[in-house]
Amino acid sequence: MSATAPGGAYAPTPRTVPARGRKRASYDREVVHAILDDGFLCHLGFVRDGAPVVLPTLYARVGERLYVHGSTGSRPLRSAGGDGGLPVCLTVTHLDGLVLARSAFHHSVNYRSVVVHGTARQVTDPAERAVALDAIVDQAVPGRSADSRPADAKELAATAVIALDLAEVSAKVRTGGPVDDPGDLELPHWSGVVPVRRAYGAPVPADDLAPGVPVPGYLAAL
Amino acid sequence: MSATAPGGAYAPTPRTVPARGRKRASYDREVVHAILDDGFLCHLGFVRDGAPVVLPTLYARVGERLYVHGSTGSRPLRSAGGDGGLPVCLTVTHLDGLVLARSAFHHSVNYRSVVVHGTARQVTDPAERAVALDAIVDQAVPGRSADSRPADAKELAATAVIALDLAEVSAKVRTGGPVDDPGDLELPHWSGVVPVRRAYGAPVPADDLAPGVPVPGYLAAL
């Protein structure tokens, strides 16, 4: 499958064209990358014994590839080590606002999401695995991997990483205010949007942190 | 399957006992309810044509049942209307902190998650569907359903709701600071936790909101 169509877009496939809300769908590579780059927590779905499983996990984007972190003991990662890899669906969602309409029916949320379908494979190359692990740390805290002790051989061996190429990908975005029926506009209910965002609190030093170790500047950038 | 074991806990099953991190797992009903009640966005996984699909959607908890909202045209909701219902995995995750250790290997996140396995079924009873839709609005904005125009018969007919009983359920929670190897404690890297939370901005009135409609008090409670 071709990862990208001309014009910097992912080629739609039957399972990346939504049954509903097609107007909100996007296959634009920059849109997809921006949504992925604004997060670090995904929900990874796979099939086990015929039933769906959805687990939260950390990820990083490196070019047209996602890396997902895990222990070598975890079930999906073991499965991804098989010959065929593991069919997965990886979803990243950012909630941007609560949309309050006059009618209960038109209530909604503003959001940005990306859904990636594909086959995840274990990363066995040690060099690629080291890059992936750094990327996963830096996806959550840009600049942090260079300011920590790198994994040693034993730690690298105890960590599994799976890779998922960005090929069958779609984004979905809702923005803007409520859309009420014309007949509801005179109702007395407040309507509008309550913005929602991810917020960071002041860093809390570890109990065993030596006095005088300053809070690194890259944390202020969060 | 029994929904609860004695002592207010969900009975563990093979698929709710994690392969990794068992110490972080909980089957306590109050723990599960508190995590579910602190959110309104879930990731719903199901199997389509043998492959996993994970979609973000809104939910509400009413007692020992979750309701998930959708249009009657959406694929999972149509499937859930079949005789056997739709096997799903519904996951709710709250990110509470970035855990920065001296070693890259021990980086982690603080989080609270709930994973529900089960069979979703369409809610066909009109009275239950109305209750569910109010609950979904109130899960995101407590008190809002009473301050909006209720759905009329046409809107109710155009809205599908699926129900998922809380029976096969587990929670997973990580709290606290980084756990570094003793040999790393003297390294110069800052270590600790950066708290993360969901934050709400000031409500933004709709463009067509009449002047003088006050921001309702229940929004301040968010």
Side-chain angles (χ1 to χ4, degrees), chain A residues 167-190:
Chain A
E168 197 169 355
V169 185
S170 61
K172 220 170 162 186
V173 176
R174 189 201 190 280
T175 60
V179 181
D180 264 303
D181 294 335
D184 289 336
L185 294 181
E186 300 307 314
L187 291 174
H189 313 300
W190 186 89

Side-chain angles (χ1 to χ4, degrees), chain A residues 44 68 76-77 79-82 84-88 118-122 162-165:
Chain A
L44 182 73
V68 176
L77 293 165
S79 302
L86 179 71
V88 298
T119 300
R121 293 173 193 281
Q122 271 205 27
I162 59 176
L164 175 64
D165 288 338

Side-chain angles (χ1 to χ4, degrees), chain A residues 37-104:
Chain A
D37 294 355
D38 195 29
F40 50 88
L41 179 78
C42 66
H43 282 79
L44 182 73
F46 56 98
V47 179
R48 190 171 65 208
D49 300 331
V53 180
V54 178
L55 298 178
T57 187
L58 301 175
Y59 73 92
R61 182 181 74 86
V62 177
E64 292 297 326
R65 180 165 285 185
L66 298 181
Y67 292 110
V68 176
H69 178 263
S71 154
T72 49
S74 74
R75 292 162 175 162
L77 293 165
R78 280 201 308 259
S79 302
D83 285 344
L86 179 71
V88 298
C89 180
L90 186 154
T91 300
V92 173
T93 307
H94 305 301
L95 183 70
D96 294 329
L98 306 172
V99 181
L100 279 61
R102 280 87 164 178
S103 61

Side-chain angles (χ1 to χ4, degrees), chain A residues 14-15 17 19-20 40-41 43 45-48 50-54 56 58 71 73-75 87-89 91 93 95 98 100-105 107 109 115 117 141 144 147-149 155 159 178 181 184-185 187-206 208-209 213-216 219 222, chain B residues 14-15 17 19-20 40-41 43 45-48 50-54 56 58 71 73-75 87-89 91 93 95 98 100-105 107 109 115 117 141 144 147-149 155 159 178 181 184-185 187-206 208-209 213-216 219 222:
Chain A
R15 60 183 179 180
V17 175
R20 296 282 307 178
F40 50 88
L41 179 78
H43 282 79
F46 56 98
V47 179
R48 190 171 65 208
V53 180
V54 178
L58 301 175
S71 154
S74 74
R75 292 162 175 162
V88 298
C89 180
T91 300
T93 307
L95 183 70
L98 306 172
L100 279 61
R102 280 87 164 178
S103 61
F105 182 73
H107 277 62
V109 291
V115 175
H117 298 271
V141 186
R144 176 64 182 182
D147 184 28
S148 58
R149 176 179 64 71
E155 290 169 344
T159 309
D181 294 335
D184 289 336
L185 294 181
L187 291 174
H189 313 300
W190 186 89
S191 69
V193 175
V194 180
V196 181
R197 64 185 173 84
R198 182 173 67 232
Y200 296 95
V204 179
D208 54 13
L209 187 66
V213 177
V215 174
L219 290 187
L222 293 178
Chain B
R15 60 184 178 179
V17 175
R20 295 281 308 178
F40 50 87
L41 179 78
H43 282 79
F46 56 97
V47 180
R48 190 171 65 206
V53 179
V54 179
L58 301 176
S71 153
S74 75
R75 291 162 174 159
V88 299
C89 179
T91 300
T93 307
L95 184 71
L98 306 172
L100 278 61
R102 281 85 166 179
S103 61
F105 182 73
H107 276 62
V109 291
V115 176
H117 297 273
V141 186
R144 176 65 183 181
D147 183 28
S148 59
R149 177 179 65 69
E155 290 169 345
T159 309
D181 294 334
D184 289 336
L185 294 180
L187 291 174
H189 312 299
W190 186 88
S191 69
V193 174
V194 180
V196 181
R197 64 187 172 85
R198 182 173 67 231
Y200 296 94
V204 179
D208 53 14
L209 185 67
V213 178
V215 174
L219 290 186
L222 293 177

